[in-house]
Amino acid sequence: MPDPLMARPSAPPPRPLPVLVLADVSGSMAEAGKIDVLNRSVATMIRSFADEDTVRGEITVGVVTFGGGGAALHQPPAPAAEVVWEDMLPRGRTPLGEALDLVNGLLADENVISRRAFTPTLVLVSDGLPNDDWRDALERLLASPRGGKAVRLAVGVGQDMDEEAFDVLRAFIDDPVIQPVRADEAHLLSRYFSWVTMSVTARARSDRPNDTSHMSFDELEDLLG
Amino acid sequence: MRVVKDEHGRPLQLTRLLGTGGQGEVWAAGDRVAVKVLRVRTRRAAERLRQRLRTVKRLDLDGLAISRPLAMLAEPDVGYTMELLGDMTALRVLAHPPPRTDLVDWYGETGGLRRRLRLLARAADVLAALHARGIVYGDPSPGNMMASSSAEHSQVWLVDADNLEVESVVPDESFTTPGYGAPEVVAGRMGISSLSDAHAFAVIAFELLALVHPFLGDDVQDGAPEDEERAFAGELPWIDDPGDDRNRSSYGLPRRAVLTPGLLALAERTFGAGRSRPAERATVAEWRTKLQTAADLTLTCAHCPQTFIVGAAACPWCGAGTPRQLMGLMHLAVPGEETYTAPRDGLAVPPREWLCVTARTAQLAPDADQDRPVAWLWWEPGSRLAVRNRGREPLWLSRRTGGSPRVVEPGGELTVPVYEEVPEWSVHFGHRSQLHRVLRFRLLGTGRT
């Protein structure tokens, strides 16, 4: 019998450092291997996060898809080490607005994203124009305390991304310092996710995970260049 | 694998991440060299670093376990290379258990209480030696104190020397790691000093031993990350404040199991009154002494691999009852006087295990190497006591009941019978005609000596 003093001692749990991926799974993502690269990239990112031995933050990952069946919580936010990844299947249209509302709901729910959490990172991946009312949903997200503060990143994948589609990504990022990234070829998507992995990991390792001012975009240019 | 170049064009392969701080990352580049890579890559940051390294080069660091900076990194990187002792890991791995691990098992696997006390005593020793030369480390954190990776060794080495400075009380651009910066430095009221080093060291010691930050109570832990800043600035009482329970913590190991009363008193001074009045804090030299004493008072449990502070009725880790514990008490023998002075130091004497007595406890005058073994003791309960002299002077064994003392020459060994529970022999570290230390034995819980 251990000393009653020693009854179930526990260390303070690390604070979550949430990453939420908003993944376009419309029918067009099936073309040119885009969805396959996206599945592989996200799975690789989750594995890297799971291997990370961080000090103050524990990286959690969630994935919201938007496609034929509307927006869905494909992977509920969970510590990376606990995620068993299942591939996303593409079909149907591009209901971005629904996805934004779903993400907004997740961010607002303290049972999903604890108040202990560090500033979340949102990564939007899309291959074309949305076809629902995304503007109002985006406004709601940006006006919310957590959605507004979140680090928002976006990448446009494939040949169908025109300026209008990139404008949607710019509106989502809503920060002139951060530009949406162009991944004309599907394989560039995996490089993009390596960069996301690297920059989130650097934050989790640092003593100030909420300080996002040092994000390095030069390295991103090197990777995609 | 990432490769950077130093200012002489030498390529350095970054093989292993040693630690990260707010300023950047420290990597091992092979076995002998470490590289600090700053996150900010501006020309201004590079110039400031160059100036700092020039200052550090002028400081007298001879004989101290501190990595000396070697060279700046070549552009576009900002950083520098420094000496490294092979195979070391940052102390932070001993302070932060991986999520969802069994705390007690993990504590033992990472060396347990005794190794933590020894490592901390060494770290305090390096800082105390710096302070004695009027130099301030500036940013002690568990990320820049390196320890031997093997759980059997307790070498400590400080890296990240670019923050070293001569003592100053003027607030400047000094950099501290969140959670370790002293309240007056975080608030910008004062610059770094030996007292701010003492605060940071106390936090490291408390975290390593008790696995909880002294300022982070449950409400702070459960709140938003920003709430921590208030706590780090010293605006809340510390978690074990005897008179104020506004910031209690349910986390960490029971303090009485991992801190001696002496260490608890240092923590209370540092995190209580010392939070707002830096001069009240325990100095790193005080920490060194109490940590060494505490390490000497640990015993290995007979039923589990853990170590605990002598005097406990049961092993605090596994609950097994502890056999009768023998203490060695170090007194001062004054020539011509019958009785000895009250004991100054204590040693837990394990049964059937060689115990090292070092110059620190056995000698009166400080030795150049305080950890130099002077004698080894072996106690077999109810059977014998063996003494090996590994010092430079003869030792004498005297018997309480009388008889002439027996000498053990340097390099020699003597075994004497011990039929009773407590050895009635005393070990004299000096001749009876001189002032010297003398070790006597006492069984705990019986009052008999």
Short mmCIF file of all heavy atoms in Angstrom, two decimals, chain B residues 263-287:
data_model
loop_
_atom_site.label_atom_id
_atom_site.label_comp_id
_atom_site.label_asym_id
_atom_site.label_seq_id
_atom_site.Cartn_x
_atom_site.Cartn_y
_atom_site.Cartn_z
N LEU B 263 14.82 22.28 2.81
CA LEU B 263 14.49 22.73 1.46
C LEU B 263 13.14 23.44 1.43
O LEU B 263 12.96 24.44 0.74
CB LEU B 263 14.49 21.54 0.49
CG LEU B 263 15.86 20.95 0.18
CD1 LEU B 263 15.72 19.65 -0.61
CD2 LEU B 263 16.71 21.94 -0.61
N LEU B 264 12.18 22.91 2.20
CA LEU B 264 10.87 23.57 2.27
C LEU B 264 11.00 24.99 2.79
O LEU B 264 10.33 25.91 2.31
CB LEU B 264 9.93 22.77 3.19
CG LEU B 264 9.27 21.54 2.57
CD1 LEU B 264 8.56 20.72 3.64
CD2 LEU B 264 8.28 21.97 1.49
N ALA B 265 11.90 25.18 3.76
CA ALA B 265 12.09 26.52 4.33
C ALA B 265 12.67 27.46 3.27
O ALA B 265 12.26 28.63 3.18
CB ALA B 265 13.00 26.45 5.55
N LEU B 266 13.61 26.96 2.46
CA LEU B 266 14.17 27.81 1.40
C LEU B 266 13.09 28.18 0.38
O LEU B 266 13.03 29.32 -0.10
CB LEU B 266 15.32 27.09 0.68
CG LEU B 266 16.56 26.71 1.49
CD1 LEU B 266 17.67 26.24 0.55
CD2 LEU B 266 17.05 27.88 2.32
N ALA B 267 12.23 27.21 0.05
CA ALA B 267 11.15 27.47 -0.91
C ALA B 267 10.21 28.53 -0.34
O ALA B 267 9.81 29.47 -1.04
CB ALA B 267 10.39 26.18 -1.23
N GLU B 268 9.86 28.39 0.93
CA GLU B 268 8.93 29.34 1.54
C GLU B 268 9.52 30.76 1.55
O GLU B 268 8.84 31.72 1.22
CB GLU B 268 8.58 28.86 2.96
CG GLU B 268 7.90 29.87 3.87
CD GLU B 268 6.60 30.44 3.31
OE1 GLU B 268 5.95 29.75 2.49
OE2 GLU B 268 6.25 31.58 3.68
N ARG B 269 10.81 30.87 1.86
CA ARG B 269 11.43 32.20 1.85
C ARG B 269 11.44 32.80 0.45
O ARG B 269 11.18 33.98 0.24
CB ARG B 269 12.88 32.10 2.33
CG ARG B 269 13.06 32.39 3.80
CD ARG B 269 14.46 32.05 4.23
NE ARG B 269 15.47 32.78 3.50
CZ ARG B 269 16.75 32.41 3.44
NH1 ARG B 269 17.16 31.30 4.07
NH2 ARG B 269 17.63 33.11 2.77
N THR B 270 11.76 31.95 -0.54
CA THR B 270 11.91 32.45 -1.90
C THR B 270 10.57 32.81 -2.54
O THR B 270 10.43 33.86 -3.16
CB THR B 270 12.61 31.38 -2.76
OG1 THR B 270 13.84 31.03 -2.14
CG2 THR B 270 12.87 31.89 -4.17
N PHE B 271 9.58 31.92 -2.38
CA PHE B 271 8.30 32.14 -3.07
C PHE B 271 7.30 32.91 -2.20
O PHE B 271 6.30 33.40 -2.70
CB PHE B 271 7.69 30.80 -3.49
CG PHE B 271 8.63 29.96 -4.31
CD1 PHE B 271 8.85 28.62 -4.00
CD2 PHE B 271 9.30 30.51 -5.39
CE1 PHE B 271 9.72 27.85 -4.74
CE2 PHE B 271 10.19 29.75 -6.14
CZ PHE B 271 10.40 28.41 -5.81
N GLY B 272 7.56 32.98 -0.89
CA GLY B 272 6.70 33.75 -0.01
C GLY B 272 7.17 35.19 0.02
O GLY B 272 6.89 35.97 -0.90
N ALA B 273 7.93 35.54 1.05
CA ALA B 273 8.41 36.91 1.19
C ALA B 273 9.25 37.34 -0.01
O ALA B 273 9.18 38.48 -0.47
CB ALA B 273 9.23 37.03 2.48
N GLY B 274 10.06 36.41 -0.55
CA GLY B 274 10.98 36.74 -1.64
C GLY B 274 10.31 37.10 -2.95
O GLY B 274 10.95 37.59 -3.87
N ARG B 275 9.00 36.81 -3.03
CA ARG B 275 8.29 37.13 -4.27
C ARG B 275 8.32 38.64 -4.52
O ARG B 275 8.54 39.09 -5.64
CB ARG B 275 6.85 36.64 -4.14
CG ARG B 275 6.22 36.25 -5.44
CD ARG B 275 4.93 35.49 -5.24
NE ARG B 275 3.92 36.27 -4.55
CZ ARG B 275 3.48 36.02 -3.31
NH1 ARG B 275 3.98 35.00 -2.64
NH2 ARG B 275 2.58 36.78 -2.76
N SER B 276 8.10 39.42 -3.46
CA SER B 276 8.10 40.87 -3.65
C SER B 276 9.38 41.52 -3.10
O SER B 276 9.70 42.63 -3.47
CB SER B 276 6.87 41.49 -2.99
OG SER B 276 6.77 41.02 -1.66
N ARG B 277 10.10 40.79 -2.21
CA ARG B 277 11.33 41.37 -1.65
C ARG B 277 12.50 40.45 -1.98
O ARG B 277 12.80 39.51 -1.22
CB ARG B 277 11.18 41.55 -0.14
CG ARG B 277 10.09 42.56 0.25
CD ARG B 277 10.18 42.98 1.70
NE ARG B 277 9.97 41.87 2.63
CZ ARG B 277 8.78 41.39 2.99
NH1 ARG B 277 7.68 41.90 2.48
NH2 ARG B 277 8.68 40.39 3.84
N PRO B 278 13.17 40.72 -3.11
CA PRO B 278 14.22 39.81 -3.60
C PRO B 278 15.28 39.47 -2.55
O PRO B 278 15.78 38.34 -2.53
CB PRO B 278 14.84 40.58 -4.77
CG PRO B 278 13.75 41.49 -5.24
CD PRO B 278 12.95 41.85 -4.02
N ALA B 279 15.59 40.41 -1.65
CA ALA B 279 16.65 40.16 -0.68
C ALA B 279 16.27 39.06 0.31
O ALA B 279 17.14 38.50 0.98
CB ALA B 279 17.00 41.44 0.07
N GLU B 280 14.98 38.74 0.43
CA GLU B 280 14.54 37.68 1.33
C GLU B 280 14.82 36.29 0.77
O GLU B 280 14.73 35.30 1.48
CB GLU B 280 13.03 37.79 1.59
CG GLU B 280 12.56 39.12 2.15
CD GLU B 280 12.79 39.19 3.65
OE1 GLU B 280 12.77 38.13 4.31
OE2 GLU B 280 13.00 40.31 4.15
N ARG B 281 15.06 36.21 -0.54
CA ARG B 281 15.22 34.89 -1.17
C ARG B 281 16.44 34.15 -0.66
O ARG B 281 17.44 34.75 -0.30
CB ARG B 281 15.39 35.06 -2.69
CG ARG B 281 14.13 35.45 -3.37
CD ARG B 281 14.36 35.72 -4.86
NE ARG B 281 13.22 36.49 -5.34
CZ ARG B 281 13.26 37.40 -6.29
NH1 ARG B 281 14.39 37.64 -6.91
NH2 ARG B 281 12.18 38.05 -6.63
N ALA B 282 16.32 32.83 -0.67
CA ALA B 282 17.48 31.99 -0.40
C ALA B 282 18.46 32.15 -1.55
O ALA B 282 18.06 32.23 -2.72
CB ALA B 282 17.04 30.54 -0.29
N THR B 283 19.76 32.22 -1.25
CA THR B 283 20.76 32.32 -2.32
C THR B 283 21.00 30.95 -2.93
O THR B 283 20.66 29.92 -2.33
CB THR B 283 22.10 32.83 -1.76
OG1 THR B 283 22.59 31.84 -0.83
CG2 THR B 283 21.94 34.15 -1.04
N VAL B 284 21.61 30.91 -4.11
CA VAL B 284 21.88 29.61 -4.73
C VAL B 284 22.88 28.82 -3.88
O VAL B 284 22.84 27.58 -3.87
CB VAL B 284 22.38 29.73 -6.19
CG1 VAL B 284 21.23 30.13 -7.11
CG2 VAL B 284 23.54 30.66 -6.32
N ALA B 285 23.75 29.51 -3.16
CA ALA B 285 24.69 28.80 -2.28
C ALA B 285 23.94 28.09 -1.16
O ALA B 285 24.28 26.97 -0.77
CB ALA B 285 25.72 29.77 -1.71
N GLU B 286 22.90 28.73 -0.62
CA GLU B 286 22.08 28.06 0.40
C GLU B 286 21.38 26.84 -0.19
O GLU B 286 21.30 25.78 0.44
CB GLU B 286 21.03 29.04 0.96
CG GLU B 286 21.59 30.08 1.90
CD GLU B 286 20.51 31.04 2.37
OE1 GLU B 286 20.22 32.01 1.63
OE2 GLU B 286 19.93 30.81 3.44
N TRP B 287 20.86 26.99 -1.40
CA TRP B 287 20.22 25.84 -2.07
C TRP B 287 21.22 24.70 -2.23
O TRP B 287 20.91 23.54 -1.99
CB TRP B 287 19.66 26.25 -3.43
CG TRP B 287 18.34 26.94 -3.38
CD1 TRP B 287 18.12 28.28 -3.49
CD2 TRP B 287 17.06 26.34 -3.16
NE1 TRP B 287 16.78 28.55 -3.37
CE2 TRP B 287 16.11 27.38 -3.17
CE3 TRP B 287 16.62 25.03 -2.96
CZ2 TRP B 287 14.74 27.15 -3.00
CZ3 TRP B 287 15.25 24.79 -2.79
CH2 TRP B 287 14.33 25.84 -2.81
#
